[in-house]
Amino acid sequence: MLKNDLFLRALKGETVERPPVWMMRQAGRYLPDFMKLKEKYDFFTRCRTPELATEITVMPIHQVGTDAAILFSDILVIPQAMQIEVEMRPGVGPWLPNPIRDKKAVDQVVIPNVYEELNYVLEAIKMTKKELNNEVPLIGFAGSPWTILCYCVQGQGSKNFDKAKEFCFTQPELAHQLLQKITDTTIAYLKAKVEAGVDAVQVFDSWGGMLSPADYQVFSWKYMQQIIDALKDEIPVIAFGKGCWFALDTMAKSGASALGVDWTCSPKNARYLTGGNITLQGNFDPSRLFSPPAEITKMVHQMIYEFGKDKYIVNLGHGILPNIPVENAKAFVDAVKSYKG
Ligand code: CP3
């Protein structure tokens, strides 16, 4: 059905002519057409209007040429659906005016009917699938329960999420209640996304690396594994943990189809830690897209050589930065397409 199924074949571990490529956070940020829409509509209006979400999702497919699309949305639509207020403040980022810090607040968190509260996402998926016209697959996503808890408790972005960690270590029972509510919502949400038509899902554990290896298992991985268990028989699942190289051995045994790796772990080490058999995704330093295009091309070819062309999805090690020139993003994608193994 799909005209370009490289991404899905790499997720299955099949032999491919060249690895597929997409970029985390490719839908928006650095694209001039996105910046124009940003002037007219606030962030959650863009997320909640299927026509706008569709338009933004397909932009990088046409303008940069990636092998997969990722739906324009945000991980924070989940707490919103759980009746936790979330704002996106220009210049500040996520802002939750009533952070969750006690039993009363945890008790008030709702496990919503995702078909009601998040119907706009499901509509955006259906519209985007039509617009993509089977050119490339569509990725759906969610934040990991731990990463969502970070925002719910901290109330905003943070360098160390100290208040989120304090909450977990002083009131672990409450923390686990909240994590379980987020997990149940996320599973229902991702299943609804699968029904709506996404071809794969990625779980972003962006702040997993804030935890020690032991705490990671308890406060993050336990819930990631529940999500993978619930989804893996329906759809390929990609587990991405920023700064979580220490958990790659556990992740490799999880039933996930692929694991995301950031740039602090070498390809060789990532292959070693995961046993060499599972598809890996990553791990170009997003700041390296500031290098001149010729240098980007060389570095990408070297990266593919080190990971190997099979069981590999070329990506950045984290989201693309807002001030990357479009031609440099294009050089990244074109380098993959010109790879001769
Ligand atoms: O390719 C895409 O961009 C798809 C859509 C997408 C967004 N957010 C849109 C967005 C995805 C996949 C996300 C995931 C997300 N959101 C994560 C996990 C990935 C990661 O980068 O670690 C996290 C931690 C968030 C929370 C979040 N949303 C933050 C910290 C911010 C503010 C800072 C920033 O990244 O610009 C957002 C806002 C946001 N989400 C923007 C976009 C395009 C920028 C705000 C705007 O456009 O007005």
Side-chain angles (χ1 to χ4, degrees), residues 38-75:
K38 194 171 162 162
E39 281 163 23
K40 276 208 240 161
Y41 307 99
D42 72 54
F43 181 71
F44 285 112
T45 303
R46 276 172 275 149
C47 291
R48 287 172 176 272
T49 312
E51 289 80 4
L52 292 175
T54 299
E55 186 181 343
I56 299 168
T57 303
V58 300
M59 272 178 197
I61 309 309
H62 298 145
Q63 298 181 14
V64 200
T66 50
D67 294 310
I70 179 160
L71 188 75
F72 179 78
S73 183
D74 200 82
I75 61 169

Side-chain angles (χ1 to χ4, degrees), residues 92-291:
V92 178
W95 181 261
L96 293 78
N98 306 303
I100 295 172
R101 306 265 169 87
D102 57 25
K103 181 171 182 331
K104 188 165 166 249
V106 172
D107 286 345
Q108 276 171 359
V109 172
V110 170
I111 299 178
N113 177 336
V114 293
Y115 297 98
E116 282 169 16
E117 294 298 325
L118 292 159
N119 188 50
Y120 64 91
V121 179
L122 308 178
E123 287 306 316
I125 290 169
K126 289 176 201 159
M127 200 176 279
T128 303
K129 280 296 284 183
K130 260 194 212 147
E131 185 69 23
L132 285 172
N133 195 23
N134 287 322
E135 292 290 340
V136 292
L138 177 63
I139 305 166
F141 68 90
S144 76
W146 158 252
T147 292
I148 298 295
L149 176 142
C150 279
Y151 287 101
C152 292
V153 175
Q154 194 81 22
Q156 63 187 104
S158 164
K159 281 200 163 51
N160 53 15
F161 286 98
D162 53 341
K163 294 193 172 69
K165 291 175 78 171
E166 180 186 341
F167 179 71
C168 289
F169 301 152
T170 57
Q171 309 183 76
E173 236 174 85
L174 281 184
H176 284 295
Q177 282 170 19
L178 180 57
L179 286 164
Q180 193 59 56
K181 282 185 172 183
I182 298 167
T183 303
D184 294 348
T185 305
T186 302
I187 288 171
Y189 175 56
L190 290 176
K191 284 188 178 242
K193 281 186 163 180
V194 174
E195 286 165 23
V198 297
D199 299 287
V201 296
Q202 173 156 320
V203 185
F204 284 89
D205 198 4
S206 303
W207 308 127
M210 296 283 164
L211 294 165
S212 72
D215 287 329
Y216 183 76
Q217 296 292 333
V218 177
F219 291 100
S220 185
W221 183 256
K222 179 181 166 198
Y223 300 96
M224 291 274 281
Q225 183 69 65
Q226 284 186 36
I227 295 171
I228 295 164
D229 285 341
L231 271 298
K232 70 176 168 38
D233 295 332
E234 292 177 30
I235 191 136
V237 181
I238 306 169
F240 167 71
K242 168 84 176 31
C244 298
W245 61 270
F246 55 76
L248 280 175
D249 57 341
T250 307
M251 292 177 171
K253 299 182 198 113
S254 65
S257 292
L259 306 178
V261 185
D262 72 40
W263 63 97
T264 61
C265 186
S266 68
K268 192 174 162 192
N269 236 341
R271 286 288 183 210
Y272 170 74
L273 291 167
T274 54
N277 243 333
I278 189 166
T279 297
L280 296 178
Q281 173 179 282
N283 71 343
F284 204 74
D285 179 350
S287 302
R288 267 293 176 187
L289 288 185
F290 285 116
S291 293

